[in-house]
Amino acid sequence: MGLTRREFIKTSAAAAAAASLGTSLIPGAASQLFADSTKWHKSVCRFCGTGCGVMVGERDGKVVAVKGDNLNTINKGHLCVKGFYLHKIVYSDTRLKHPMIKKDGKFQRVSWDEALNFVAERFNSIRKQYGPDALAFYGSGQAETEETYMANKLYKGCIGTNNMEGNPRLCMASAVGGYLTSLGLDEPVGTYDDIEQAEFFMLIGSNTAECHPILFERIIRRKHQNPNVKILIIDPRKTPTDQITDLHLFPKPGYDLAILHAMARIIIKEGYADEQFIKENVVFKDNKKDLTFEEYKQFLEKYTPEYAANDSGVPAEDIVAAARMFGRAKTAMSMWTMGINQRTRGVWANNLITNLHLLTGKIGKPGCDSFSLTGQPNACGGVREGGGLCHLLPAHRSVKNPKHREEVAKVWDVPVSNIQPKPGKHTIAMFEALNKGEIKGIFILCTNPAQSLPNAAKYRKGLEEQFVVVSESFFPTATTKYADVVLPAAFWTEKEGVYGCTERRSQYMPKIVEPLGEARWDAFILRDLAIRMGFKKEFEKYKTAEDIWNEYISLTKGKDMDLSGATYRRLKKVRGLRWPVPSEDHPGTYKRYVQGDPLFDELPREKKKGRWIYFYGKPEGKAVVWARPDKGPEEPTDEDYPFALTTGRVLEHWHTATMTGAVPELNRAVPKAYVEIHPEDAKRLKISNKDQVVIETRRGSLKIEARVIDRPEPGTLFVPWHWEEWMINNLTIDAFDPGSKEPEYKVCAARIKKA
Amino acid sequence: MSKTTKWLLAVAGVLIIIFSLQFNLQADDEKEEKHPEVDFTQSCMECHKEVTPDIVRDWEKSKHGVMNFGCYMCHGDGQVEFYRKPSTETCLSCHTGEPVDARKGGNLQCFSCHNGHSLKFHQ
Ligand code: SF4
């Protein structure tokens, strides 16, 4: 914890002395940080999409400690290593404390007035000369819902461009596409509560142990208490998640679609399908037309275990065993994340997972769900629900829908003609447009695209040439290097707002301390910029975070993600609420589409016709089983580039490490990047552990230390992506899913040699 | 000796014992607080797997090992902070409930009962 060495010595000496005098000492009683003078505030972890509850210890106006919130049902007081060190990040030396403008190539400290006037003038002149689409916004799944809401209104409602994106495009867009096409509406049917009721877990494209540690802990506990619980992993790499696996299939990166089809085929052939559920609740489609169940079965005929084995490299008998595990379990929960989403066929991969649940009827029941894990703490809440992407409007609305535009324009108090009916530029297209000079000014908020974009070096041209404003809590980052203006943003605990995590749960975070230096809350930075750009009438009314939240939740009224009952007053007391929560006396919803979901309960009887589940986002309430072709990665391996390169995360760091890099303990735990290579490959290439090697792809090369380990399969290389110094994203591919526009970070072709 | 002098001497004696005890503890702790010079570009685990393999094995099998709560969580990063004998305070960040009523056991800290690496309960 944040004790100095001196304090520590004092504390242990006092404890020992007290002990020698025979005084009883309760753990922590002699503690500096857990002393009575420390005030504890209920909040939420700043890192991953799990959404753990934390208690923030404050003393004399400073954040001094963090502990798990034992009343929060997500984590019941536990934290992973990242959440554990949150308080240290608040006072990191790398905090940005003053606005700065780059003059003659050097950042110079300026006043807020000067900075905001300068940005407003530049944005207005770009807008006047080149039109609204020459401006863009690039936000974050870490921004609060209130912050994204303000940006949305400024860009889509006032400036009049839909060039408004956020980094969830790079991590969750395929999951959105999957839910919309399979079930009709975005976000999961169930919640974390299903973990304690599931008999079988399929973890696919997810290193749950390192990326969602507290959920992993819940799965471990479930298995420990019920040894019959089985765990199947489908992932190209062995990870710490394997500690609890019963069966692991190792497909070549990007070749898992055929496996999922083969599993569906076995499930049907061996009688594990729930024919009644299918008859009542499911329709079948391929990319062009509706199919009958028979036609779907015909489609699956190609996907024999042998075919899938040949395609993926996984033994046929393992695929059969995996299908039987899924089929035989009374309840089944699938979880996935980037390994499925960050693919050129990410939406299809999402569909094929949900297919298994729809075929077996293992959805909508306790312990059953097709459950996408979110990477960022507010990707679901702020960006998916808040409508922070180029085709969306708040509360699961679309810019294409005239009724939606009207509803939003009315609440925003702007002419409906301001909101363009055509989606703006998605992330990759946005950075292409910056390169080409079609976009001339961009506001980047709480994210680090110069390091996190795929094929990152390619997009630096636009960042160098165009007018770039970066609002950040940390400095420098890979992106601030290219900024013309940097604005210091208040950090977690220095602002209030709401985060919405993986399980549809919105949680309130209080402002506990004053922002460091001159840092300001992003929502007010945007408000003040908007006023200076001439949108006084539209923005001056927002005086508090609650003003913004209240307006936002008014837009959710009557929608599938109704948050009207989640007022600040209520959120301040409870450990979050899971939507739909249509009124202040509604407890929130455990399962969607079934009894207990207010939208289901309100459906007229004639519509439901006695059905216990009704996917009300789809015609006739029927979900879709998709017959998607199996397709491999965009860039398969070949003679020149014989390895599949995949990237990912380690437990101790998060994204571009602007936060975890500020914690000495976490740096110490994993101080640098490395490439994992299988011992067989290493031997062949005469690479020893800790040798310096060079990895090359068609886009770039990287010198890095080798870690010879049997985690990746032969033929696969793995590199964690957190470090700017070893920027693996200069090598990744920027090809993207044509549906979700999410890039294929998870696989490209590479070669490796000793440096 | 007057009653007062005796009383004063007794108090002084107790104080000396307490202070010397504290001083010794402090001196020991100062000594213990030093970690041998290391290459800080490698993780604790890389080296400790070789130098203290039994401890690493115990930890690996423990719940902390399964969750990958590394050495640094209790012992510090070794550079900015290093605690040879970690304090109970660190435990309380996650173990926020009070599953054990320590008062019943007397002068307890978490590691009075739990082995620091295997976390197994011992007497
Ligand atoms: S699991 Fe995620 S939300 Fe929970 S403490 Fe760790 S980083 Fe924070």
Side-chain angles (χ1 to χ4, degrees), chain A residues 44-54 74-75 78-84 86 210-215 375 377 651 654:
Chain A
V44 187
C45 178
R46 172 66 180 73
F47 289 109
C48 86
T50 302
C52 294
V54 298
I74 296 177
N75 55 318
H78 286 193
L79 293 174
C80 84
V81 303
K82 293 184 286 292
F84 191 83
L86 263 169
E210 296 198 81
C211 302
H212 296 89
I214 292 297
L215 297 182
L651 171 76
W654 204 71

Side-chain angles (χ1 to χ4, degrees), chain A residues 670-685:
Chain A
V670 190
K672 57 180 185 285
Y674 49 85
V675 53
E676 288 181 0
I677 178 168
H678 191 277
E680 280 174 24
D681 290 329
K683 196 171 159 202
R684 194 166 37 83
L685 297 168

Side-chain angles (χ1 to χ4, degrees), chain A residues 674-746:
Chain A
Y674 49 85
V675 53
E676 288 181 0
I677 178 168
H678 191 277
E680 280 174 24
D681 290 329
K683 196 171 159 202
R684 194 166 37 83
L685 297 168
K686 300 194 172 46
I687 293 170
S688 308
N689 200 31
K690 297 195 175 224
D691 274 356
Q692 287 293 313
V693 293
V694 175
I695 313 170
E696 289 171 329
T697 69
R698 291 186 174 86
R699 292 153 294 282
S701 70
L702 178 70
K703 194 172 166 199
I704 194 168
E705 188 176 295
R707 183 166 295 180
V708 179
I709 191 166
D710 66 350
R711 278 187 173 187
E713 289 289 280
T716 299
L717 305 172
F718 168 83
V719 181
W721 71 286
H722 308 288
W723 295 267
E724 191 185 346
E725 208 179 330
W726 297 276
M727 207 191 285
I728 193 64
N729 272 334
N730 285 340
L731 281 69
T732 50
I733 191 166
D734 51 349
F736 53 83
D737 183 306
S740 69
K741 321 291 188 222
E742 181 165 344
E744 191 156 65
Y745 288 91
K746 283 299 171 189

Side-chain angles (χ1 to χ4, degrees), chain A residues 68-69 75 122 257 296 310 429 434 489 493 516 555 593 700 728:
Chain A
D69 178 1
N75 55 318
R122 284 297 300 268
L257 299 189
Y296 172 68
N310 194 34
L434 270 171
T493 68
L516 222 56
L555 273 165
Y593 312 122
I728 193 64

Side-chain angles (χ1 to χ4, degrees), chain B residues 38-105:
Chain B
V38 289
D39 166 11
F40 282 103
T41 63
Q42 63 169 3
S43 71
C44 321
M45 199 59 81
E46 281 172 75
C47 187
H48 274 272
K49 262 189 177 158
E50 284 164 28
V51 295
T52 58
D54 294 345
I55 288 179
V56 171
R57 256 196 305 277
D58 275 356
W59 169 84
E60 272 171 350
K61 279 188 239 138
S62 76
K63 279 190 186 163
H64 281 177
V66 173
M67 291 298 291
N68 215 350
F69 280 25
C71 319
Y72 56 93
M73 291 202 73
C74 301
H75 294 286
D77 70 316
Q79 193 165 23
V80 181
E81 290 173 13
F82 175 66
Y83 314 127
R84 183 179 284 257
K85 285 185 182 163
S87 86
T88 286
E89 177 159 281
T90 317
C91 316
L92 297 180
S93 287
C94 283
H95 301 281
T96 46
E98 283 192 46
V100 175
D101 183 355
R103 279 163 296 196
K104 286 186 190 144

